[in-house]
Amino acid sequence: MRPIDKGSWPTKDSHATRKRVFNDWTRAIPYLKGRTGRYCHLCELKVSNAMAIEHIKSKKYFPRLQAHWDNFLLICNYCNSHKLATITISPYKKTYYWPHLNNTIMAFDFRITGEIIPNRTYLTTKPQIDRASATIDLYGLDKVVTAQGNSDDRLKDRLEAYKQAIDRFIEFSTGKASIHAIVDNAKNTGFFSVWLKVFNSVPNVKAALIDCLDFHLATTYCFNSTYQPIPRNPTFTADPI
Amino acid sequence: MRIDKIRIKNFKGFEEEIFQLNPLFTVFIGDNAKGKTSVLDALAVAVSSFLRGIDVAKHESRNIEKNEIRIVTKDGQPLPQLPVEIHAFGTVNDISINEGWMRTVEKISPKKTNTLFVKAKNIEKVAEDMLKLSRSGHNVVFPVIAYHGTGRLWAEHEAKKTEYKKTGEGVSQAYLNCLSPKSSSKEFLSWYKTYEDEIRKFDQEKDKLLLKTFNSTVISMIPDNHWQNMAYSFAAEDLTGIFVTPDGEKEKLQFRQLSDGYRNIIGMVADIAYRCVKLNPHLGENAVKETPGIVLIDELDLHLHPNWQRRIVEDLKNTFPGIQFVATTHSPFIIQSLKEDELRNLDRKIVSQKDPKDIPINKIITDIMEVESIKSDDFEKRYSVAKLELEKIEAARPDNNLTMDDYVAVSKLLGSLLEEETDDAVYKAFLEKQNDSNDETN
Ligand SMILES: [Zn+2]
């Protein structure tokens, strides 16, 4: 999951000190798109138009937060429809990992099987693993099939991204693909985490992916100068990720 | 102690079956309905006959319960089938019991079942003699007995304070709760706490040796030295150790903070090793390696990563070479790690002529586990087949660094999986072409 930075509450054009009103929260979509890209904040699916505002704390139970910038994420319809059937547990900041609060690259692993699982390279304690699992469950990120027997497109598209990333990796190793073409391909398929994982052992491609502005990574908080992921909350010793 | 053969009649789902057991490791697979767990339950009844000869552990013996009697429904009436018989053949304390020993239920009274023990006197007598000899000061090697059911991981959640262990006869402690399908991780913890403390105070060479044996046993079961410097923390009231992440970073963690897979293995191994050390302290540093016995494990794959599933059988055999293990599993990875004579398929009478090691994982699923639905051709099912192949590739590289050959294989698997899914005819042709060229180069 891409770690992102939503930035502070957007202000009014006329008054730079006044917060913009989001009583119609769909008006927040252009701001989120501009600041965090056209990929689902959770599953990383590329979604150009059909995107939804996720209210981390549901509008139903927390009506006062329905227009609150901090409560917004930009997600795809698959993640949204799964979320509608579940309830966020409080305190949400400690129960789950969030792309705008944690270094989620360290929290989730995108397996070649297409599954999303807690990233055991970085998550070593049971509470951490439970936390990652809680996020996966909340948005059904590991969902393989729907009740009708149709597979969830998120899985197929993720596998498709894997296939393309691996094919480019094989080509790159024999000099048949340029870094530029690889990054363009990644922008096109989405699933940044998949590309990062496949090219993890190739420093210059890895750097180009992380630096690619389309992905809007919170690089300052989440990667060091050698492009290694670093914990985003270093002062929170119990779980700095 | 070893069971070579067991005959089960009218017990749970079994009308009458005979199973031969491998002297070292036997794994039962098959549909849940056929009752893999029932085989373990029958074995628990059989081994518990030995406990009836140990006066201080007699109450740990397990009877045939009323609800374990096989029921046949006739004209809408449930009819319990009698007699129930659990008849085991094997060796105890190097004495071969040729006629076997048997537990039966011949009639049911309204209040309780009448498990009869008369035909198990022979094994009881062997146990009584061993106990007598041991109490008169001789070194007797007792067999470890343990049953780890699927509830093993959660037993520890019962909020019980870690008490100092009262001293008592080792044998009675070593058989405490041994056939309850919950492993008693609290027991080894209490012992560990007391023992470490005493060693600190009294500094006995022999005690130190036993603790060292226990520690090295537990640590040796954790792959790649991931768990080191195990000790009891009086502040945390828990076992602590240094956990080494795959990156080589070290972190001090408590047992309860470890992931399910680790706690499962550490809890289970610690429980067995603790019982070995308690039973046969006179064996000193060989207490774990030389203690014989029978250990039953339900769902050996419980919470284990596929990498670990592949090696668990081998690891247990190496760590406890004197113990006969009988386990159940759903995991094709465990099946694949077995030798031919170690696998028992409850769904099939014919034993495979091939070593599971030589069978590819998808064949294990279709041919050995007989998951037929997988042959049908929709995405979900094709995905589950491809997924196992992908997991296999992934599991072979625990450090996550796939080789170029791995990548070629993954690309091919994904290509053929996705091929059926795409509606774009041009793209489909492209994938097909690519698959063909992969075939040529391979
Ligand atoms: Zn999504």
Side-chain angles (χ1 to χ4, degrees), chain A residues 40 42-45 75-76 78-79 141 154:
Chain A
C40 173
L42 299 162
C43 72
E44 306 189 4
L45 188 76
I75 67 175
C76 74
Y78 297 114
C79 289
L141 298 178
R154 291 178 296 181

Side-chain angles (χ1 to χ4, degrees), chain B residues 85-233:
Chain B
E85 292 177 353
I86 294 176
H87 194 174
F89 302 80
T91 303
V92 183
N93 202 23
D94 291 331
I95 301 163
S96 184
I97 304 181
N98 294 324
E99 72 282 15
W101 65 95
M102 184 152 76
R103 299 274 280 275
T104 60
V105 176
E106 277 161 17
K107 60 176 180 213
I108 308 172
S109 70
K111 284 197 180 119
K112 57 182 176 99
T113 60
N114 299 329
T115 310
L116 296 180
F117 310 105
V118 278
K119 290 168 187 158
K121 288 283 177 228
N122 46 7
I123 186 170
E124 278 180 49
K125 178 78 169 53
V126 175
E128 280 165 16
D129 291 347
M130 288 169 75
L131 193 62
K132 220 178 285 171
L133 209 59
S134 153
R135 283 178 180 158
S136 65
H138 293 80
N139 285 341
V140 176
V141 178
F142 284 95
V144 70
I145 291 172
Y147 187 177
H148 295 271
T150 47
R152 57 188 177 260
L153 202 52
W154 310 112
E156 71 199 53
H157 285 305
E158 289 160 14
K160 220 169 38 167
K161 218 169 138 46
T162 315
E163 309 274 347
Y164 272 100
K165 194 79 207 165
K166 288 182 211 80
T167 42
E169 201 171 7
V171 177
S172 86
Q173 289 170 11
Y175 290 131
L176 188 67
N177 291 333
C178 66
L179 290 174
S180 137
K182 288 176 176 179
S183 124
S184 46
S185 67
K186 281 283 172 189
E187 292 306 325
F188 84 77
L189 223 55
S190 296
W191 165 78
Y192 200 87
K193 174 182 181 177
T194 316
Y195 223 62
E196 256 205 342
D197 202 33
E198 278 174 0
I199 286 165
R200 230 169 275 157
K201 285 182 200 142
F202 307 114
D203 201 31
Q204 300 252 12
E205 256 337 289
K206 195 178 146 206
D207 292 347
K208 257 201 237 170
L209 195 65
L210 287 176
L211 196 69
K212 210 179 120 195
T213 306
F214 175 85
N215 279 350
S216 61
T217 303
V218 174
I219 288 169
S220 75
M221 281 294 297
I222 306 300
D224 309 323
N225 276 322
H226 276 334
W227 178 252
Q228 305 171 352
N229 295 12
M230 194 171 69
Y232 191 84
S233 158

